[in-house]
Amino acid sequence: MNRNGRTIISLIGVLALAFAADVCAQKPSGSEVRIGVVVPVTGQAADVGKREAIGAQAAADVINARGGVGGVPIKLYFADEGTNPQEAIGAVRKVAGDDKVLAIVGPHYSGTAEATFPLGNRLKIVQVAVASSKPGVAKANRPYAFRNTLTEDKIGEAVVKAAKQRYGLKRVAIISDTKDAVARSLGMGVLPAALQVNGIEIITGKDPVTFQNGDAQFTAQVTRLKSLNPDGIALGALGPDALNIILEARKQGMTQPFFGTAPLMEGNLPERGGKAVNGTFAGSVWDSTLDDPASSAFKAAYAARAKTMYPGAFTQNPDYYATNAYDAVFMMVEAMLKTGVQNRADSLEADRDRIKDYFSKLRNFKGVASTGFNDDGDGVKNVIVTEARDGRWRPVASR
Amino acid sequence: MNVYVEGVLALMGINILLALSAYAILATDRLSLGNAGFMAIGAYVSSYLSVNLGWGLLPAFALGGLTAAAVGLLVGLPVLRLQGIYFVMGTLAFGEIVRTFFQNFEPTGGAYGMRGMFGTSLGMIYACVAVFLALFLAYGMARAGLAADAVRDDDEAARSIGINVVAVRLLSFAWGALIAGVAGALFAHYALYIESGNFNFLVSANAVLFVILGGVQTVWGAVVGAIILSLLPEGFRFLADWRLTAYGFILVAVMALRPEGILTRGMLRSLRRLLARTA
Amino acid sequence: MLAQQIVNGITLGSTYALIAIGYTLVLGVLNKLNIAHGELFMVGAFTGIAVARMGAPLAVSLLAAFVLAGLMAVVIERTCFYPLRNASFLSPMLSTIAFGILLQNLATQFFGSDPSRFPDTGASFQLSLGTLSVSAIHIAILATAFGLMIGIDLLVRRTRWGIALRATSDDPETAAQQGMHPSRVTMTTFFVSGALAGVAGMLTTLVYSQVTPHIGIRQGLIGMVAMVIGGLGNLRGAMIGGLAIGLVETMNDAYFSAGYRDLVIFSIFFAFLIFKPEGLFPAHRSS
C-alpha cells in the first residue's frame, strides 16, 4: 500500500477509535445525578404525595445501592407542590432552575399538571406526572409532558363492568364535582361514557347532582340522590369528597353501592370509612397483594424507606401511586444510561433532551406496574378493579 | 438571578401595585375590601386576549386594566352612595361576586383555571410601579390631588367649597380599579396559571393591610407597607413552621400599637428635612 | 324530597343564624364590624375537635367550644377595638382583619391545613316522619340553635345586661352616666357573640364532617350576608336571614348547580345592599 493509503487507513483508524471512545464514554460525570420530585406533601393530596415521595426515594436507594448511575450517585431534589397549581409552578421552576435537575417526577393531579406542563415545555425539561389521569392532558403538551398513569377512560370501563357484574346495575345516578379538573371530567365525561358502553341507564341524564371539591357538607345532594332511588351511584369525585358523600348517604339511610375510578383510591377511604364504605368499587393499576419479583422488590425497598421518611399510619402501605413514582425514577436512569447523558453543567439542555427523546420511544420498560408510554405520552398499564372491604382496598378482578 | 429571589421580587412588585390600588380609595376615606375583584378582571381579560386572541402583551395588559377601570366606574356609581360599613360590605360583596363569577365562567376556564400565559418580567413589573407612583406624586401636587385631600379630611367642608365629592370618589375608585387590573394582568402572565381562588377576600384584605401598616397618610406608606409585608414572611423562614403565625402577630401588634402606620406625614417631613440636610 | 330539603335548609340555616346573631350583637353595640367573627366559628370548631380527641364527651366539647370562642372574642375586643376606640372609624375593623389572619395561621400551625374531622361519635339514630328522615345530630343542632336564639332574645329583652346593651348602643354617653359600664357591657356582648359563633362552628363540624383553618372566611361572609338581609342591628332579623340563606343554599345545591352557590348568595347580598340596605326587618332605631 502506498503512503496515501496508509494515511487514510490510519485516519480512519483514529476516527474509529475516537468514535468508539465517545460511545464508551457514556458514563455521566460529576458528583451526583439530580432528579427533581415535585409531589404534594401538604394540601389535599398530602398523604398520597408522601407515599409517592417515599416511592421515588426508595428507587433512588435501590439504584445507589447498586452503585448509582454509572458510578455516580443519584440525589433527589424534592419540592412540595402543595396540591396546588400555583405552588407546583414555583416548585418546578425551583428544581429546574435553581437545582438544575435532569428530569422531574411529578406533579400529581391533572389540574396541577395542566399548569406545569406548558412550563416544562418552555423550560425543555421532562415531567412525569404520577397521578394525572384526565384524558388528553399529556397529548396537549408534547413533547416534554409524560404521565406514568393510565387514563381514566380505560379504568372507568373496567370498573363499571365489574360493578355491573357484582350488583346487577340497571339505573345509576351520577354525582359530580364541579371544581376539581379530574373529578369533574370523571363525572361529566368518563363515567357517563362508561355507563353507556355497559348499557346502564343514567337517571341523572346530562345533569348530575353537583358539589364542589372540599365542600363541608352534602345533605342537599344526598337527599336528591336518595329521592332518585338508583341501583348504584357513580362518583365523579376525589377520595376525600367521596368519603363524605358515602358517609352522609349511609346517615340518610341509603344502602346502594358506590363506585368511581382511580381518584377514589386516595384519601384513605376504606381506613376512614369503615363499614359504611364496604363494597365501594374503584380502579387501579397495581395492588399491594401482588408478589411477582418486581412488586416484591419494590415493597421491600418502600418498607425500608418508609421507616425514616414521613413515617406514619398512612404511609406504611404503598399504593400504586408510589409505584408510578418508583418506576419513573428507574425509567429516567435507564434513559440516562442508554443515551449517554453526560451530566455536566454545560450539557444540561442536551441531557434533558436525551431523556425526552428516549421517553418518546419507550415501549418495553420492565417496571413494577409500568411498561412505558404511548404516542400521547400516557402510560400503558393493566387495570385492576378494587373494592373497599374491611379497612383496605382489595382487588376484585384484573384484566 | 436565583429563581427563588426573582419570585419574591416579582410578587413584591405586584403587592406594591395592589397596595397603591387600595391607597387610591383609602385616600378618599373609603375602605374597599374588593380590589381582588378588579385584579381578577384585569388578569382574566388580559389572559384571554393574549392566549385566545393572540394579542401582544402591552395592549392586552392595557385593555385588562381599562376593563377593570370601566367596571370600577359602573359599580362605583351605586356603591359609593353607601355609607360607612355598608360601603365596605358592598365592596366585599363585589369582590366575591367577581371571584365566583370566574369560578363558573367557562370561556376563561371556569373552575379549572386558565393557563398558557407567559411573558411578565421583573422589569415590566417595576416599570409599572414606577409609572403609577410617579402619577400619584404628580397628582398629589396638582389641584385635583388637593381636592382629594380635602375630601378625605372633611366631606362637608369640601362640598361647601364647591368640590364635587362624588366625582372625586368615583374617579379615585376607578383609578384604584385600573391599578389593580394592571396588577392582575402582570400577575397572570408571571404565574402562568390563574384560577378564581387567586383573587379571594384575603388578597383584598392584604392589599389594605399593606397600606395601613405602611401608613395611610402618604402614598409612600403603601409602598413601604407592601415591601415590608412581602419580605417579612421570607425573612421569617428560619422560624419554619411558625413563620406565618409570627407574621400574624406582627400585624396585630402594629395595628394596636401604631394604628397610623409606619410612615406618617410628619415622619415624611422629617425624613425630607434629613435628606435635604445631608445633600 | 322538597320537605326533606327544607329540613336540610333550616338545619344549615340555623348554624348561619347563630353566626349572624353574633355579628349583629357587636354591630349593635359598637357600630363596627368584627371582621374576624368568622374565625370565632373556626375556633369553636377546632376547640371542639381538640377536646373530643382527648376523650371528653360531646357536651363537654360543646361547652369548651362555647367558652373558648367567647373568650377569644373578648381578646379581639381588647386588642382590636378598645385600643383603637379613638382612632379613625376604619382602624378597628382593619385590625380585626389582621387578627383573623393571625387566628387562621395559628390554627394551621396546630392542626395543619388539611381538613380535620371530629372523632367518630358512634351510632346516631334516624327518626323517620313519613318520608322525612332526621338524624339525632340534626335534632341536636336545631334544638341547640333555636334554644340559643330564643335565649338570646329573652336575655336582650329581659335581663339587665340586655337593657344595658340596648342603652349603650342607642346612646353610650347617657348609658355611662346611668352607671352602665360601657366597657363591661361591650366585653360581655363580645363574649356572647363569640360563644354563639363557636357553638355554630362545633355543631357544623360535628354534622357536616370536616373543617379547615380557612373555613371562617366563608362562614363570616355568610353571617354578614344573613345579617344584612335580615336587617342590620336587628336580632330577629339576623335569625331569619340566617335561616333564609341556609334554605337558598340548600335549594341551589339540590335543584340548580353547586358551582353557582356563592354567586347566587353574594348577588342577593349585593342587591340588598344597593336596593334595600335596611334589610327585610329594619331596626326601629337608627344605626
Side-chain angles (χ1 to χ4, degrees), chain B residues 93-104:
Chain B
F94 168 74
E96 286 299 291
I97 289 176
V98 173
R99 177 182 68 78
T100 52
F101 170 79
F102 281 114
Q103 196 182 323
N104 288 289

Side-chain angles (χ1 to χ4, degrees), chain A residues 25-372:
Chain A
Q26 281 173 36
K27 306 229 163 128
S29 56
S31 60
E32 62 181 22
V33 165
R34 300 175 170 196
I35 290 184
V37 179
V38 172
V39 291
V41 296
T42 58
Q44 194 180 199
D47 287 337
V48 184
K50 286 177 188 161
R51 294 199 285 268
E52 289 162 355
I54 298 174
Q57 186 63 55
D61 293 340
V62 170
I63 292 167
N64 283 341
R66 290 185 202 156
V69 185
V72 181
I74 264 199
K75 177 143 186 236
L76 298 180
Y77 281 78
F78 292 89
D80 181 16
E81 55 122 292
T83 324
N84 171 335
Q86 217 77 62
E87 279 189 57
I89 287 178
V92 167
R93 272 181 163 141
K94 173 176 177 290
V95 299
D98 290 344
D99 299 327
K100 303 206 188 324
V101 301
L102 291 170
I104 299 177
V105 175
H108 181 76
Y109 279 142
S110 297
T112 320
E114 284 187 292
T116 60
F117 278 168
L119 175 61
N121 280 336
R122 209 161 297 125
L123 296 176
K124 300 210 171 76
I125 184 167
V126 160
Q127 290 173 63
V128 180
V130 282
S132 163
S133 47
K134 177 178 164 203
V137 174
K139 185 168 176 185
N141 287 288
R142 317 287 336 106
Y144 288 90
F146 293 91
R147 302 192 292 173
N148 194 16
T149 55
L150 192 63
T151 51
E152 288 299 342
D153 43 347
K154 306 195 180 54
I155 300 183
E157 276 184 44
V159 170
V160 171
K161 183 167 172 191
K164 179 177 178 185
Q165 226 168 23
R166 166 79 69 88
Y167 296 114
L169 303 170
K170 296 207 182 61
R171 301 168 63 250
V172 162
I174 304 181
I175 176 168
S176 174
D177 199 333
T178 55
K179 208 168 161 199
D180 174 77
V182 177
R184 183 177 166 148
S185 88
L186 280 178
M188 310 271 187
V190 171
L191 285 169
L195 288 166
Q196 267 166 358
V197 160
N198 279 282
I200 298 176
E201 182 196 336
I202 304 173
I203 311 177
T204 46
K206 291 219 182 355
D207 290 308
V209 177
T210 54
F211 66 95
Q212 288 192 38
N213 170 231
D215 269 350
Q217 57 102 14
F218 297 90
T219 46
Q221 290 87 346
V222 169
T223 298
R224 173 136 173 250
L225 282 175
K226 186 173 170 183
S227 74
L228 294 170
N229 203 21
D231 299 332
I233 298 102
L235 291 160
L238 300 178
D241 295 320
L243 174 62
N244 290 332
I245 293 172
I246 301 177
L247 289 176
E248 177 64 32
R250 301 295 178 236
K251 260 196 228 163
Q252 290 197 25
M254 290 180 77
T255 53
Q256 292 93 328
F258 286 80
F259 56 95
T261 60
L264 238 55
M265 314 258 321
E266 306 175 14
N268 308 302
L269 198 128
E271 290 89 339
R272 291 198 152 115
K275 274 207 285 247
V277 301
N278 275 355
T280 304
F281 273 40
S284 167
V285 298
W286 180 82
D287 185 77
S288 57
T289 58
L290 294 173
D291 56 7
D292 53 280
S295 297
S296 304
F298 162 69
K299 285 192 279 186
Y302 183 95
R305 183 39 82 172
K307 288 203 191 100
T308 51
M309 188 172 180
Y310 300 124
F314 292 121
T315 51
Q316 261 180 352
N317 295 311
D319 55 8
Y320 78 94
Y321 294 107
T323 68
N324 292 346
Y326 180 88
D327 280 342
V329 173
F330 274 98
M331 284 189 207
M332 289 171 185
V333 170
E334 183 178 297
M336 289 181 208
L337 289 171
K338 292 241 170 92
T339 60
V341 154
Q342 289 163 349
N343 197 38
R344 291 192 321 261
D346 58 348
S347 70
L348 190 58
E349 258 197 62
D351 289 340
R352 286 175 174 171
D353 275 350
R354 289 187 176 105
I355 297 178
K356 177 256 294 177
D357 291 331
Y358 189 79
F359 275 16
S360 357
K361 302 193 216 84
L362 185 57
R363 301 284 183 272
N364 291 310
F365 179 74
K366 309 255 182 302
V368 179
S370 315
T371 62

Side-chain angles (χ1 to χ4, degrees), chain B residues 78-127:
Chain B
V79 172
L80 280 162
R81 280 188 296 129
L82 302 173
Q83 297 291 343
I85 305 177
Y86 289 97
F87 176 80
V88 178
M89 291 197 286
T91 58
L92 235 174
F94 168 74
E96 286 299 291
I97 289 176
V98 173
R99 177 182 68 78
T100 52
F101 170 79
F102 281 114
Q103 196 182 323
N104 288 289
F105 191 57
E106 292 306 325
T108 54
Y112 298 172
M114 212 166 160
R115 2 166 115 66
M117 305 80 73
F118 71 98
T120 303
S121 67
L122 267 188
M124 263 186 238
I125 297 178
Y126 281 95

Side-chain angles (χ1 to χ4, degrees), chain A residues 42-44 46 178 210-212 214-217 219-221 223-224 226-227 243-244 247-248 251-252 272, chain C residues 1 4-5 8 12 113-114 117 126 133 138 206-210 215 249-250 253-254 256-259 261:
Chain A
T42 58
Q44 194 180 199
T178 55
T210 54
F211 66 95
Q212 288 192 38
D215 269 350
Q217 57 102 14
T219 46
Q221 290 87 346
T223 298
R224 173 136 173 250
K226 186 173 170 183
S227 74
L243 174 62
N244 290 332
L247 289 176
E248 177 64 32
K251 260 196 228 163
Q252 290 197 25
R272 291 198 152 115
Chain C
M1 173 174 71
Q4 181 68 55
Q5 297 289 22
N8 291 342
L12 180 65
S113 55
D114 297 334
R117 319 176 65 95
Q126 291 282 129
S133 154
H138 279 123
L206 194 56
V207 172
Y208 300 128
S209 53
Q210 61 186 29
I215 204 178
E249 181 173 328
T250 302
D253 284 4
F256 193 25
S257 169
R261 177 194 306 152

